[in-house]
Amino acid sequence: MPLKTYGVLIARAVATRREGATHTPHYQIHLTDDQGTHYRAAVNVLSQEHPSELLYLVADDFRHPLTARLEELSSGWNTLPSGPGGPNLDFVRGNLFDPAGMRSLPPDVAGPDNDLADLLDHYVQRAVADPAARLYVFGSRFGPEPGVKDKVFGFLPGNGVHDVHMNQGNSRRFRGDDGVWQDGGFLLRFPGQSRWVGIFLAFQSQSWHTDDTTGHTLEHVDGTRPTPAVQPVRIVAALVNATGPAPGAETVTLLNASADPVDLTGWRVVGRLGHGAPVQAAGPLAPGACLTVPLGPDARLGDHGGELSLLDAAGLKVHGVSYTAEQAAREGWTVVF
Protein backbone atom coordinates (compact mmCIF):
# COMPACT_ATOMS: atom_id res chain seq x y z
CA MET A 1 0.00 0.00 0.00
CA PRO A 2 1.29 3.52 -0.73
CA LEU A 3 1.66 6.16 1.97
CA LYS A 4 -1.70 6.98 3.58
CA THR A 5 -1.12 10.68 4.25
CA TYR A 6 1.11 12.03 1.50
CA GLY A 7 1.41 15.75 0.97
CA VAL A 8 3.57 18.84 1.32
CA LEU A 9 4.07 21.13 4.30
CA ILE A 10 4.69 24.80 3.52
CA ALA A 11 6.13 26.58 6.55
CA ARG A 12 8.98 28.64 7.96
CA ALA A 13 11.98 26.92 9.55
CA VAL A 14 12.66 28.26 13.06
CA ALA A 15 15.08 25.73 14.62
CA THR A 16 17.02 22.50 13.95
CA ARG A 17 18.46 19.61 15.92
CA ARG A 18 20.81 16.75 15.06
CA GLU A 19 20.27 13.31 16.60
CA GLY A 20 23.76 11.89 16.13
CA ALA A 21 24.54 8.60 14.40
CA THR A 22 22.80 5.85 16.42
CA HIS A 23 19.98 3.52 15.28
CA THR A 24 18.00 5.55 12.67
CA PRO A 25 19.09 9.16 13.23
CA HIS A 26 17.25 12.10 11.76
CA TYR A 27 17.96 15.73 11.06
CA GLN A 28 15.07 17.45 12.86
CA ILE A 29 13.53 20.75 11.69
CA HIS A 30 11.08 22.85 13.73
CA LEU A 31 8.65 24.77 11.48
CA THR A 32 5.65 27.06 11.86
CA ASP A 33 3.06 27.93 9.22
CA ASP A 34 1.46 31.33 8.66
CA GLN A 35 -1.36 30.44 11.08
CA GLY A 36 1.10 29.72 13.91
CA THR A 37 0.77 25.92 13.85
CA HIS A 38 3.96 24.08 14.82
CA TYR A 39 5.40 21.10 12.94
CA ARG A 40 8.49 18.91 13.03
CA ALA A 41 10.13 17.52 9.89
CA ALA A 42 12.09 14.33 10.64
CA VAL A 43 14.62 13.83 7.83
CA ASN A 44 16.43 10.48 7.67
CA VAL A 45 20.22 10.65 7.43
CA LEU A 46 20.92 6.91 7.83
CA SER A 47 19.34 3.77 6.35
CA GLN A 48 18.39 0.65 8.34
CA GLU A 49 19.66 -1.46 5.43
CA HIS A 50 23.14 -1.89 4.00
CA PRO A 51 24.68 0.22 2.57
CA SER A 52 23.50 2.58 5.27
CA GLU A 53 24.68 5.91 3.84
CA LEU A 54 21.96 7.85 2.03
CA LEU A 55 22.19 9.20 -1.49
CA TYR A 56 21.64 12.93 -1.86
CA LEU A 57 21.43 15.57 -4.55
CA VAL A 58 21.20 19.32 -4.07
CA ALA A 59 19.97 21.58 -6.87
CA ASP A 60 21.25 25.02 -5.79
CA ASP A 61 19.22 26.79 -8.45
CA PHE A 62 16.23 24.49 -8.93
CA ARG A 63 14.23 25.29 -12.06
CA HIS A 64 11.26 23.05 -12.81
CA PRO A 65 7.54 23.53 -13.63
CA LEU A 66 6.84 22.06 -10.18
CA THR A 67 7.63 25.40 -8.52
CA ALA A 68 4.79 27.19 -10.34
CA ARG A 69 2.35 24.52 -9.10
CA LEU A 70 3.60 24.92 -5.54
CA GLU A 71 3.07 28.68 -5.56
CA GLU A 72 -0.68 28.03 -5.84
CA LEU A 73 -0.80 26.18 -2.48
CA SER A 74 -1.51 27.65 0.95
CA SER A 75 0.76 27.76 3.98
CA GLY A 76 0.47 24.70 6.22
CA TRP A 77 -0.18 21.07 5.38
CA ASN A 78 -1.50 20.27 1.89
CA THR A 79 -2.69 16.73 1.18
CA LEU A 80 -1.75 15.67 -2.36
CA PRO A 81 -3.75 12.94 -4.14
CA SER A 82 -1.71 10.42 -6.11
CA GLY A 83 -1.22 11.13 -9.79
CA PRO A 84 0.86 13.12 -12.28
CA GLY A 85 -1.34 16.20 -12.52
CA GLY A 86 -0.39 17.99 -9.30
CA PRO A 87 2.76 19.23 -7.53
CA ASN A 88 3.74 15.74 -6.30
CA LEU A 89 7.32 14.49 -6.32
CA ASP A 90 8.30 11.37 -8.25
CA PHE A 91 12.02 10.72 -8.62
CA VAL A 92 11.50 8.27 -11.49
CA ARG A 93 8.75 10.01 -13.50
CA GLY A 94 8.98 13.68 -12.56
CA ASN A 95 12.40 14.43 -14.12
CA LEU A 96 13.36 16.49 -11.09
CA PHE A 97 17.08 15.69 -11.44
CA ASP A 98 19.49 13.20 -12.99
CA PRO A 99 19.88 10.24 -10.58
CA ALA A 100 23.43 9.79 -11.87
CA GLY A 101 24.29 12.97 -9.98
CA MET A 102 23.41 11.53 -6.56
CA ARG A 103 26.23 10.90 -4.10
CA SER A 104 26.43 9.24 -0.68
CA LEU A 105 27.43 10.83 2.62
CA PRO A 106 27.80 9.46 6.17
CA PRO A 107 25.09 10.67 8.57
CA ASP A 108 27.05 12.47 11.27
CA VAL A 109 30.82 12.43 11.82
CA ALA A 110 33.29 14.69 13.60
CA GLY A 111 34.49 17.76 11.77
CA PRO A 112 32.84 20.43 9.65
CA ASP A 113 31.18 20.02 6.25
CA ASN A 114 31.76 16.28 5.88
CA ASP A 115 28.42 14.56 6.55
CA LEU A 116 24.77 14.67 5.52
CA ALA A 117 23.64 16.55 8.63
CA ASP A 118 26.23 19.25 7.88
CA LEU A 119 24.96 19.57 4.32
CA LEU A 120 21.31 19.88 5.38
CA ASP A 121 22.24 22.36 8.08
CA HIS A 122 24.06 24.55 5.57
CA TYR A 123 20.83 25.18 3.65
CA VAL A 124 18.23 25.05 6.42
CA GLN A 125 20.12 27.54 8.60
CA ARG A 126 20.00 29.98 5.68
CA ALA A 127 16.22 29.60 5.73
CA VAL A 128 16.07 30.04 9.51
CA ALA A 129 17.96 33.33 9.17
CA ASP A 130 15.63 34.62 6.42
CA PRO A 131 12.10 35.43 7.69
CA ALA A 132 10.76 35.40 4.11
CA ALA A 133 12.16 31.95 3.27
CA ARG A 134 9.80 28.98 3.20
CA LEU A 135 10.37 25.22 3.24
CA TYR A 136 8.22 22.89 1.13
CA VAL A 137 8.58 19.52 2.87
CA PHE A 138 7.17 16.47 1.03
CA GLY A 139 6.39 13.24 2.84
CA SER A 140 3.89 11.54 5.12
CA ARG A 141 2.16 13.42 7.93
CA PHE A 142 2.06 12.25 11.54
CA GLY A 143 -0.26 13.74 14.17
CA PRO A 144 -1.66 16.00 15.33
CA GLU A 145 -1.48 14.21 18.68
CA PRO A 146 -3.76 16.01 21.21
CA GLY A 147 -2.22 16.21 24.66
CA VAL A 148 1.15 14.86 23.49
CA LYS A 149 4.13 17.20 23.28
CA ASP A 150 6.54 16.88 20.38
CA LYS A 151 9.37 14.63 21.54
CA VAL A 152 12.11 16.81 20.05
CA PHE A 153 11.03 20.46 20.30
CA GLY A 154 8.34 20.20 22.99
CA PHE A 155 5.48 22.07 21.29
CA LEU A 156 1.90 20.94 21.74
CA PRO A 157 0.29 19.05 20.07
CA GLY A 158 2.88 16.82 18.41
CA ASN A 159 2.60 17.23 14.66
CA GLY A 160 4.82 16.87 11.64
CA VAL A 161 6.17 15.15 8.51
CA HIS A 162 8.41 12.13 7.98
CA ASP A 163 9.32 9.84 5.05
CA VAL A 164 11.16 12.81 3.54
CA HIS A 165 12.93 10.62 0.99
CA MET A 166 12.27 8.43 -2.05
CA ASN A 167 9.23 6.22 -1.36
CA GLN A 168 9.27 3.62 -4.15
CA GLY A 169 11.47 0.77 -5.35
CA ASN A 170 11.99 -0.37 -1.77
CA SER A 171 13.43 -3.73 -0.76
CA ARG A 172 10.94 -6.43 0.22
CA ARG A 173 11.18 -5.38 3.86
CA PHE A 174 9.75 -1.92 3.13
CA ARG A 175 7.79 -2.50 -0.09
CA GLY A 176 4.56 -1.72 1.79
CA ASP A 177 5.48 1.96 1.52
CA ASP A 178 5.90 1.82 -2.27
CA GLY A 179 3.85 4.11 -4.47
CA VAL A 180 4.12 6.47 -7.43
CA TRP A 181 3.98 10.28 -7.24
CA GLN A 182 4.59 10.17 -3.48
CA ASP A 183 8.32 10.68 -3.03
CA GLY A 184 9.61 12.83 -0.20
CA GLY A 185 12.13 15.64 -0.29
CA PHE A 186 12.18 19.35 0.38
CA LEU A 187 12.52 22.59 -1.47
CA LEU A 188 13.64 25.90 0.00
CA ARG A 189 12.26 29.10 -1.47
CA PHE A 190 14.15 32.37 -1.01
CA PRO A 191 11.85 35.09 -2.45
CA GLY A 192 14.37 37.87 -1.96
CA GLN A 193 16.78 36.06 -4.28
CA SER A 194 14.09 34.65 -6.62
CA ARG A 195 15.71 31.30 -5.94
CA TRP A 196 14.57 27.76 -5.18
CA VAL A 197 16.87 25.08 -3.75
CA GLY A 198 15.94 21.40 -4.08
CA ILE A 199 17.22 18.66 -1.75
CA PHE A 200 16.46 15.04 -2.67
CA LEU A 201 17.34 11.91 -0.66
CA ALA A 202 17.18 8.19 -1.47
CA PHE A 203 18.32 4.91 0.07
CA GLN A 204 20.98 2.93 -1.78
CA SER A 205 18.82 -0.19 -1.43
CA GLN A 206 16.04 1.36 -3.55
CA SER A 207 15.53 0.67 -7.25
CA TRP A 208 15.17 3.27 -10.01
CA HIS A 209 13.12 0.94 -12.23
CA THR A 210 9.63 0.76 -10.71
CA ASP A 211 6.13 -0.23 -11.76
CA ASP A 212 4.02 2.71 -12.96
CA THR A 213 1.04 1.63 -10.83
CA THR A 214 2.44 0.16 -7.62
CA GLY A 215 5.89 1.73 -7.37
CA HIS A 216 7.32 -1.75 -6.71
CA THR A 217 10.71 -2.71 -8.10
CA LEU A 218 10.45 -4.22 -11.57
CA GLU A 219 11.88 -7.72 -11.56
CA HIS A 220 12.98 -10.20 -14.18
CA VAL A 221 10.97 -13.39 -14.60
CA ASP A 222 13.54 -15.20 -12.43
CA GLY A 223 12.85 -12.77 -9.58
CA THR A 224 16.12 -10.83 -9.79
CA ARG A 225 16.17 -7.04 -9.80
CA PRO A 226 17.40 -5.33 -12.98
CA THR A 227 20.56 -3.31 -12.62
CA PRO A 228 20.21 0.19 -14.11
CA ALA A 229 22.76 0.61 -16.87
CA VAL A 230 24.35 3.80 -18.16
CA GLN A 231 22.18 4.64 -21.16
CA PRO A 232 23.91 6.14 -24.19
CA VAL A 233 20.87 7.90 -25.70
CA ARG A 234 19.71 11.14 -24.15
CA ILE A 235 17.21 13.93 -24.80
CA VAL A 236 19.31 16.97 -25.67
CA ALA A 237 16.76 19.47 -27.04
CA ALA A 238 13.06 20.05 -27.73
CA LEU A 239 10.98 22.51 -29.73
CA VAL A 240 8.14 23.01 -27.25
CA ASN A 241 6.59 26.23 -28.59
CA ALA A 242 6.52 25.96 -32.37
CA THR A 243 5.92 29.01 -34.56
CA GLY A 244 2.34 29.49 -35.69
CA PRO A 245 -0.93 27.75 -34.79
CA ALA A 246 -0.34 24.48 -36.67
CA PRO A 247 -0.58 21.47 -34.32
CA GLY A 248 2.01 18.74 -34.24
CA ALA A 249 5.09 20.85 -35.00
CA GLU A 250 6.80 20.11 -31.69
CA THR A 251 9.90 17.93 -31.80
CA VAL A 252 12.36 16.23 -29.46
CA THR A 253 16.03 15.72 -30.38
CA LEU A 254 17.91 12.61 -29.24
CA LEU A 255 21.69 12.07 -29.17
CA ASN A 256 23.57 8.78 -29.13
CA ALA A 257 26.57 9.72 -27.00
CA SER A 258 28.12 6.26 -27.12
CA ALA A 259 30.66 4.66 -29.45
CA ASP A 260 28.19 2.02 -30.66
CA PRO A 261 24.98 2.14 -32.73
CA VAL A 262 21.73 1.83 -30.74
CA ASP A 263 18.56 0.17 -32.00
CA LEU A 264 15.60 2.41 -31.08
CA THR A 265 12.88 0.04 -32.26
CA GLY A 266 9.93 0.25 -29.89
CA TRP A 267 11.23 3.31 -28.02
CA ARG A 268 8.88 6.21 -27.13
CA VAL A 269 9.02 9.83 -25.99
CA VAL A 270 6.31 10.62 -23.42
CA GLY A 271 5.18 13.62 -21.37
CA ARG A 272 4.12 13.92 -17.72
CA LEU A 273 0.63 12.50 -18.34
CA GLY A 274 1.89 9.56 -20.37
CA HIS A 275 0.97 10.84 -23.83
CA GLY A 276 3.73 10.34 -26.34
CA ALA A 277 5.01 9.42 -29.74
CA PRO A 278 7.04 6.51 -31.10
CA VAL A 279 10.68 6.99 -32.01
CA GLN A 280 10.88 6.17 -35.70
CA ALA A 281 14.35 5.70 -37.15
CA ALA A 282 15.64 4.21 -40.39
CA GLY A 283 17.92 1.71 -38.71
CA PRO A 284 20.08 2.00 -35.55
CA LEU A 285 21.18 5.45 -34.40
CA ALA A 286 24.86 5.81 -35.26
CA PRO A 287 27.51 6.82 -32.69
CA GLY A 288 27.47 10.57 -32.12
CA ALA A 289 24.37 10.99 -34.28
CA CYS A 290 21.22 12.95 -33.47
CA LEU A 291 17.62 12.11 -34.33
CA THR A 292 14.72 14.57 -34.39
CA VAL A 293 11.45 12.95 -33.29
CA PRO A 294 8.21 14.68 -34.37
CA LEU A 295 5.62 14.39 -31.62
CA GLY A 296 2.44 14.82 -33.66
CA PRO A 297 -0.90 16.30 -32.58
CA ASP A 298 -1.57 13.67 -29.88
CA ALA A 299 1.56 14.49 -27.90
CA ARG A 300 1.71 18.27 -27.91
CA LEU A 301 3.95 19.94 -25.36
CA GLY A 302 2.63 22.57 -22.98
CA ASP A 303 3.97 26.11 -23.19
CA HIS A 304 3.69 26.53 -19.40
CA GLY A 305 6.43 24.05 -18.50
CA GLY A 306 6.51 20.28 -18.59
CA GLU A 307 8.48 17.04 -18.50
CA LEU A 308 9.70 14.67 -21.18
CA SER A 309 10.89 11.06 -20.75
CA LEU A 310 12.54 8.62 -23.12
CA LEU A 311 11.40 4.99 -22.69
CA ASP A 312 13.02 1.94 -24.23
CA ALA A 313 11.22 -1.00 -25.86
CA ALA A 314 10.61 -2.60 -22.44
CA GLY A 315 9.00 0.60 -21.13
CA LEU A 316 11.93 1.40 -18.84
CA LYS A 317 12.97 5.02 -18.48
CA VAL A 318 16.23 5.81 -20.25
CA HIS A 319 16.44 9.56 -19.73
CA GLY A 320 14.26 12.48 -18.68
CA VAL A 321 14.28 16.28 -18.77
CA SER A 322 12.03 19.16 -17.75
CA TYR A 323 11.50 22.72 -18.94
CA THR A 324 9.92 25.79 -17.36
CA ALA A 325 7.38 28.26 -18.70
CA GLU A 326 10.20 30.80 -19.01
CA GLN A 327 12.16 28.46 -21.27
CA ALA A 328 9.09 27.80 -23.42
CA ALA A 329 8.08 31.45 -23.75
CA ARG A 330 9.99 32.24 -26.96
CA GLU A 331 8.04 30.99 -29.94
CA GLY A 332 10.05 28.97 -32.43
CA TRP A 333 13.10 28.61 -30.16
CA THR A 334 14.48 25.20 -29.26
CA VAL A 335 15.10 24.44 -25.57
CA VAL A 336 18.54 22.90 -25.06
CA PHE A 337 19.01 20.58 -22.07
Side-chain angles (χ1 to χ4, degrees), residues 226-253:
T227 302
V230 177
Q231 295 290 349
V233 182
R234 304 176 69 84
I235 300 172
V236 294
L239 176 59
V240 301
N241 186 1
T243 302
E250 290 90 348
T251 62
V252 171
T253 302

Side-chain angles (χ1 to χ4, degrees), residues 93-214:
R93 297 158 190 84
N95 299 340
L96 302 162
F97 56 89
D98 185 351
M102 300 197 90
R103 298 291 183 267
S104 62
L105 268 179
D108 189 62
V109 296
D113 302 325
N114 60 0
D115 57 47
L116 187 53
D118 287 338
L119 180 137
L120 298 176
D121 211 44
H122 171 77
Y123 291 96
V124 177
Q125 290 300 336
R126 286 171 51 192
V128 171
D130 183 352
R134 292 294 182 270
L135 264 65
Y136 293 68
V137 187
F138 294 81
S140 179
R141 184 173 185 178
F142 61 85
E145 303 169 306
V148 179
K149 288 185 177 181
D150 180 77
K151 67 178 183 180
V152 176
F153 297 106
F155 56 79
L156 186 70
N159 188 30
V161 186
H162 59 164
D163 294 323
V164 189
H165 48 68
M166 186 176 180
N167 290 306
Q168 60 181 305
N170 286 298
S171 64
R172 293 186 182 279
R173 179 182 176 188
F174 295 104
R175 77 194 306 264
D177 292 334
D178 282 348
V180 296
W181 298 105
Q182 60 154 40
D183 284 329
F186 61 99
L187 307 182
L188 302 93
R189 184 185 184 190
F190 298 94
Q193 305 171 29
S194 298
R195 179 182 294 270
W196 291 76
V197 174
I199 300 179
F200 308 102
L201 304 170
F203 299 117
Q204 295 188 57
S205 57
Q206 291 174 314
S207 170
W208 293 86
H209 285 157
T210 61
D211 182 84
D212 287 337
T213 301
T214 64

